[in-house]
């Protein structure tokens, strides 16, 4: 039996002008992406647990117009893949067990992207984040507190800071100029997937600027209401960036005061893509939203959603070419869902997205729907909107929005 390739993201790109394929591990057990030639990638993708050497040789010859591949070539590719932790092998399982064990044993989630997605040095990180306020598209540096009215809900991007940091700055400037919340219900996106609609973590989130501790009393209330199953699959928090990038900003914004406590929630697919079916009727969705809504009623509680909007272009499976027409069309269609967000209309937002089966792949759909449900149809303000190119050939859109206190 041939070994099996683990689940990885695969997309084409150019490396030094040559065709190549990038393999990226959404579960984060492989720290850096791996680049393969088209020939090696084809062999790798044939390792599905059902193909043997004969099937691979035959398919390889058909794919590459008569070129031959030997059993030794196949073995060399497998060995290289295993070295990179891409094969579901004993070596990988030992590695995964060691990493998972360390995660579960710790009371805090370590910063996964420090030194890769942003500076690890606290001083350099603070300077890096401050620079986004002064970006050409940024909002300018925060000023003094504006009154005593707190924010009830903040929507921020979760795109990498290099491309979207200026948009984060719009969101966090608003937060910096308002009274600090005592606790934050953080809603992110479970990009790696989850068997349930929501995965909640008991862990605090460590950042180079300080640790945001978890709100134990709130988590105990959720467990009493929903059962211990809400923490199953907590491992998806380990490498998820949508909440980590928010905690970095939060630690920066509140560096001079006591850091708020957090309830970290990752939102996965709700299941149905039917616009006529509200998530309120879907199994596992409504009980959790109602339980979170009870927490949201507590004094000094902020709802924070780390979300992006559309993902379009060849990188994401679209046939249309990347260009100005696609960018303009995406912005036009995004305006419809931004109107629903501005109006605090959770059901209208859901219908807008699902009217075409979420063809633009709005990855924050579950988290945004949940945030809008928690604020109870309260109107807000769209602070800004942006788009960024994906280096593999696509466009990602995002926004920042704020909803004032109750």
């Amino acid at each position: 039996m041939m070994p099996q390739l683990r689940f990885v993201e695969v997309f084409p790109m150019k490396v030094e002008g040559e065709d190549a394929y990038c393999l990226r591990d959404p579960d984060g057990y492989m720290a850096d992406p791996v680049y393969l030639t088209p020939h090696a990638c084809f062999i790798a993708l044939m390792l599905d647990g059902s193909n043997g050497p004969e099937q691979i040789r035959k398919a390889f010859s058909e794919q590459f117009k008569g070129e031959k591949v030997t059993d030794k070539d196949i073995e060399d590719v497998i060995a290289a893949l295993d070295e990179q932790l891409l094969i579901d092998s004993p070596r990988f399982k030992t590695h995964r067990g060691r990493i998972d064990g360390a995660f579960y044993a710790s009371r805090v989630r370590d910063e996964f992207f420090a030194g890769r997605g942003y500076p690890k040095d606290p001083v350099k990180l603070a300077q890096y984040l401050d620079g986004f306020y002064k970006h050409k598209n940024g909002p300018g540096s925060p000023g003094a507190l504006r009154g005593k009215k707190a924010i009830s809900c903040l929507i921020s991007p979760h795109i990498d800071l290099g491309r979207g940091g200026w948009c984060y700055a719009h969101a966090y400037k608003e937060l910096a100029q308002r009274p600090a919340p005592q606790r934050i219900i953080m809603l992110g996106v479970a990009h790696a997937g989850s068997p349930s609609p929501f995965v909640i973590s008991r862990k605090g989130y460590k950042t180079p600027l300080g640790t945001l501790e978890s709100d134990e009393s709130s988590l105990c209330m959720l467990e009493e209401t929903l059962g211990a199953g809400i923490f199953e699959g907590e491992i998806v928090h380990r490498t998820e960036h949508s909440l980590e990038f928010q905690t970095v900003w939060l630690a920066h914004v509140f560096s001079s005061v006591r850091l708020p406590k957090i309830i970290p929630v990752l939102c996965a697919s709700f299941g149905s893509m039917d616009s006529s079916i509200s998530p309120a009727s879907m199994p596992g969705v409504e009980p959790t939203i109602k339980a979170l809504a009870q927490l949201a009623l507590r004094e000094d509680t902020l709802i924070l959603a780390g979300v992006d909007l559309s993902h379009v272009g060849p990188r994401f499976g679209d046939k249309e070419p990347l260009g100005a027409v696609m960018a303009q069309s995406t912005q036009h269609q995004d305006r419809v869902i931004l109107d629903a967000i501005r109006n605090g209309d959770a059901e209208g937002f859901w219908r807008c997205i699902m009217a075409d089966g979420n063809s633009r792949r709005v990855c924050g759909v579950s988290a945004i729907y949940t945030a809008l449900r928690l604020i109870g149809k309260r109107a807000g303000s769209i602070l800004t909107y942006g788009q960024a190119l994906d280096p593999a050939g696509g466009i990602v859109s995002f926004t920042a929005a704020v909803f004032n206190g109750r």
Side-chain angles (χ1 to χ4, degrees):
M1 177 68 68
M2 300 288 284
Q4 188 167 346
L5 184 73
R6 294 198 302 111
F7 174 74
V8 291
E9 297 174 338
V10 182
F11 50 91
M13 61 188 312
K14 294 284 188 181
V15 176
E16 297 182 353
E18 298 293 329
D19 289 337
Y21 287 85
C22 176
L23 277 64
R24 188 164 55 193
D25 180 7
D27 295 325
Y29 295 109
M30 180 181 73
D32 299 312
V34 170
Y35 301 95
L36 299 179
T37 65
H39 292 72
C41 186
F42 184 83
I43 294 171
L45 295 178
M46 289 291 291
L47 299 174
D48 62 0
S50 65
N51 294 312
E54 183 178 349
Q55 289 89 347
I56 295 175
R57 289 196 304 270
K58 181 180 178 182
F60 186 95
S61 181
E62 291 173 353
Q63 175 70 19
F64 295 104
K65 300 179 180 179
E67 288 189 50
K68 303 296 183 183
V69 64
T70 66
D71 288 355
K72 176 66 166 53
D73 295 331
I74 297 171
E75 290 169 3
D76 287 346
V77 169
I78 291 172
L81 293 172
D82 193 32
E83 182 68 22
Q84 296 290 341
L85 301 169
L86 287 165
I87 295 292
D88 189 13
S89 66
R91 180 176 183 274
F92 166 70
K93 289 173 182 175
T94 298
H95 175 77
R96 180 181 61 191
R98 184 168 59 250
I99 288 178
D100 289 1
F103 174 81
Y104 284 117
S106 176
R107 69 175 186 82
V108 297
R109 173 202 180 274
D110 286 335
E111 62 270 61
F112 185 78
F113 292 94
R116 289 182 287 176
Y118 53 84
K120 192 167 186 175
D121 178 80
V123 175
K124 292 180 180 178
L125 175 56
Q127 294 171 344
Y128 180 66
L129 297 177
D130 282 338
F132 290 120
Y133 292 121
K134 303 168 186 175
H135 186 278
K136 64 178 181 179
N137 295 324
S141 298
L145 284 178
R146 293 197 327 224
K148 297 182 179 180
K149 198 167 187 179
I151 292 172
S152 63
C153 179
L154 190 70
I155 293 178
S156 169
H158 66 224
I159 192 170
D160 59 274
L161 295 171
R163 290 184 291 165
W166 63 268
C167 188
Y168 285 83
H170 280 270
Y172 284 96
K173 178 179 179 178
E174 284 291 321
L175 192 58
Q177 296 178 155
R178 305 294 187 92
Q182 291 184 8
R183 71 191 59 81
I184 303 176
I185 300 173
M186 299 179 61
L187 303 170
V189 177
H191 286 93
S194 165
S196 57
F198 300 98
V199 180
I200 301 176
S201 177
R202 289 187 180 277
K203 299 182 185 297
Y205 268 59
K206 181 182 176 184
T207 82
L209 301 172
T211 297
L212 285 87
E213 301 289 351
S214 60
D215 185 356
E216 277 298 324
S217 63
S218 295
L219 290 166
C220 286
M221 290 174 62
L222 289 174
E223 184 175 10
E224 289 174 6
T225 303
L226 301 169
I230 59 172
F231 303 114
E232 290 181 6
E234 187 183 22
I235 193 69
V236 299
H237 281 259
R238 186 182 73 85
T239 60
E240 177 51 56
H241 65 277
S242 59
L243 293 187
E244 177 171 338
F245 291 166
Q246 312 311 319
T247 60
V248 169
W249 276 96
L250 289 168
H252 181 54
V253 166
F254 297 125
S255 61
S256 61
V257 298
R258 183 178 179 181
L259 293 178
K261 293 189 175 182
I262 59 172
I263 301 104
V265 183
L266 290 179
C267 305
S269 170
F270 285 169
S272 175
M273 305 287 276
D274 187 338
S275 62
S276 67
I277 301 176
S278 167
S281 65
M282 298 177 191
V285 175
E286 191 64 9
T288 302
I289 289 179
K290 285 184 175 179
L292 290 172
Q294 288 301 306
L295 297 180
L297 292 173
R298 298 169 72 183
E299 216 37 53
D300 298 324
T301 298
L302 170 69
I303 301 153
L304 171 60
V307 295
D308 287 338
L309 300 177
S310 296
H311 294 64
V312 298
R315 157 75 172 87
F316 303 106
D318 290 321
K319 295 180 179 178
E320 295 83 358
L322 194 64
V325 172
M326 176 173 283
Q328 291 167 6
S329 173
T330 300
Q331 182 172 0
H332 175 75
Q333 294 175 71
D334 281 345
R335 283 175 181 161
V336 179
I337 62 175
L338 289 175
D339 285 341
I341 292 172
R342 180 187 295 109
N343 294 329
D345 183 2
E347 300 301 336
F349 167 78
W350 181 265
R351 288 193 297 270
C352 286
I353 298 292
M354 295 306 168
D356 62 1
N358 196 11
S359 65
R360 298 195 315 285
R361 306 165 200 89
V362 176
C363 74
V365 59
S366 299
I368 295 172
Y369 174 86
T370 301
L372 296 178
R373 284 288 308 280
L374 296 185
I375 62 175
K377 206 165 185 177
R378 176 182 300 274
S381 301
I382 304 297
L383 300 172
T384 190
Y385 167 86
Q387 296 181 349
L389 292 176
D390 186 284
I395 295 172
V396 179
S397 63
F398 42 85
T399 191
V402 63
F403 298 79
N404 288 322
R406 301 166 183 80

